[in-house]
Amino acid sequence: MEPTTTLIYDGSFNGFLTAIFIAFDEKIDVADIQKNNQSQSGLFSDTETVFTNVEKAKRVWNGIRNKSHNAISNIYFAFLSEAEGVELMLYTYIQKLMRAQNGKYLDYSDSTVVYIGQLAKKVGREKHRMETFVQFQLSKDDIYFANIEPDFDVLPLISKHFRGCYADQQWLIYDVKRKYGIFYNLDHVEMVSLNLKDIHHNKTVKSDAFAPNQTLWNDYFKSTNVASCINPKLHTQHIPKRNWKYLGEKREAV
């Protein structure tokens, strides 16, 4: 019996789609798909490291989208749920989608299809919750700042909403759980990580970061492209803006 293979990817959505491409292209018997910081080798499976390739990711994205717009939405939202084992479930979902004569007629009684749909709905609800309840504080250098800790990784989904609502203000929404944020500099939205050792929660409104005499934020926002904050690796996390309606503000920088 030929051994199965566990694919190890970098945790990004592009990386995941690249793994899907490799699995189909090389006709791999996939045992699992795991993030490189969470990987555990199986007893009866080999491992193969997947290097993110945006062109391969785009081919998978376009292939899924051509089958079903609803499916591509479900896949992306479910991926952002970060649910345990979601990658393998999504791989199975994509296999079923590609085998279907028409993607619109997936078997909606199938347990995998149902599960991915449920995850996508949960992420969608969390997206709307964040859009409704995020509260900003004004820093001394006129940047509106909010810390959030959502159940799911919804920052990529909410940037369009806040870009539309606060187009005339600089703002930063930071996910303290996932340690990255989205920053709008009056021109575009960038994904950033901060070098702050202590990110305070919104409830600590008297945080030093917002004290009248504090220069902390001036140190981090000296230029419009927040060069001191940007972690370039974050730019591989999501599909280019031309391919995803929820990321219309994100400039591709892969």
Side-chain angles (χ1 to χ4, degrees):
M1 182 180 68
E2 292 187 6
T4 56
T5 301
T6 295
L7 298 175
I8 309 298
Y9 76 108
D10 63 4
S12 71
F13 189 55
N14 276 336
F16 169 70
L17 292 181
T18 303
I20 297 298
F21 179 93
I22 296 297
F24 277 91
D25 187 58
E26 299 180 7
K27 296 180 173 58
I28 293 174
D29 186 1
V30 176
D32 201 1
I33 302 175
Q34 301 176 355
K35 297 180 179 66
N36 55 13
N37 62 347
Q38 299 174 344
S39 61
Q40 296 179 349
S41 58
L43 185 61
F44 301 105
S45 68
D46 295 330
T47 61
E48 178 176 339
T49 299
V50 173
F51 297 97
T52 299
N53 182 301
V54 176
E55 290 305 315
K56 291 178 180 178
K58 287 179 186 175
R59 288 179 63 180
V60 175
W61 175 274
N62 291 332
I64 296 170
R65 185 181 58 182
N66 290 338
K67 290 286 284 187
S68 169
H69 282 275
N70 183 59
I72 198 65
S73 175
N74 280 346
I75 289 167
Y76 187 54
F77 276 54
F79 177 83
L80 294 177
S81 74
E82 304 171 317
E84 184 177 355
V86 70
E87 293 93 345
L88 188 60
M89 293 290 286
L90 284 171
Y91 173 63
T92 302
Y93 180 90
I94 293 169
Q95 281 183 312
K96 294 175 183 293
L97 177 70
M98 293 305 179
R99 290 169 183 165
Q101 293 299 313
N102 187 324
K104 295 180 180 179
Y105 297 104
L106 273 170
D107 182 2
Y108 289 99
S109 65
D110 182 278
S111 60
T112 300
V113 176
V114 171
Y115 178 69
I116 295 302
Q118 289 173 340
L119 282 181
K121 287 180 179 178
K122 289 179 180 179
V123 173
R125 286 195 293 267
E126 187 72 345
K127 167 186 178 292
H128 291 301
R129 188 172 76 89
M130 290 295 107
E131 290 172 348
T132 302
F133 294 111
V134 165
Q135 295 184 345
F136 288 98
Q137 299 176 58
L138 183 62
S139 69
K140 68 176 295 291
D141 51 355
D142 294 325
I143 294 172
Y144 285 87
F145 180 88
N147 287 318
I148 63 173
E149 196 169 359
D151 293 336
F152 310 114
D153 184 15
V154 296
L155 273 186
L157 303 178
I158 66 176
S159 73
K160 181 178 181 179
H161 171 81
F162 287 100
R163 169 66 176 82
C165 291
Y166 303 100
D168 59 346
Q169 300 165 345
Q170 291 190 93
W171 49 261
L172 169 65
I173 303 173
Y174 198 83
D175 186 333
V176 297
K177 179 179 180 181
R178 294 162 186 88
K179 296 182 173 59
Y180 84 99
I182 49 176
F183 174 69
Y184 175 64
N185 64 0
L186 300 179
D187 178 49
H188 60 272
V189 174
E190 291 280 2
M191 290 187 178
V192 302
S193 61
L194 301 182
N195 295 321
L196 297 172
K197 293 181 180 179
D198 185 15
I199 298 292
H200 295 274
H201 290 270
N202 281 334
K203 62 183 180 181
T204 57
V205 294
K206 294 183 179 180
S207 159
D208 288 344
F210 301 96
N213 298 322
Q214 179 58 254
T215 61
L216 182 63
W217 290 110
N218 284 330
D219 292 337
Y220 284 99
F221 299 107
K222 290 180 179 178
S223 63
T224 56
N225 64 0
V226 252
S228 63
C229 295
I230 292 176
N231 176 352
K233 292 181 180 179
L234 289 174
H235 290 290
T236 64
Q237 277 193 295
H238 305 286
I239 283 292
K241 65 180 181 181
R242 61 183 176 275
N243 289 343
W244 185 238
K245 63 183 179 180
Y246 292 101
L247 297 178
E249 309 76 29
K250 184 184 183 305
R251 298 194 306 178
E252 179 57 30
V254 176

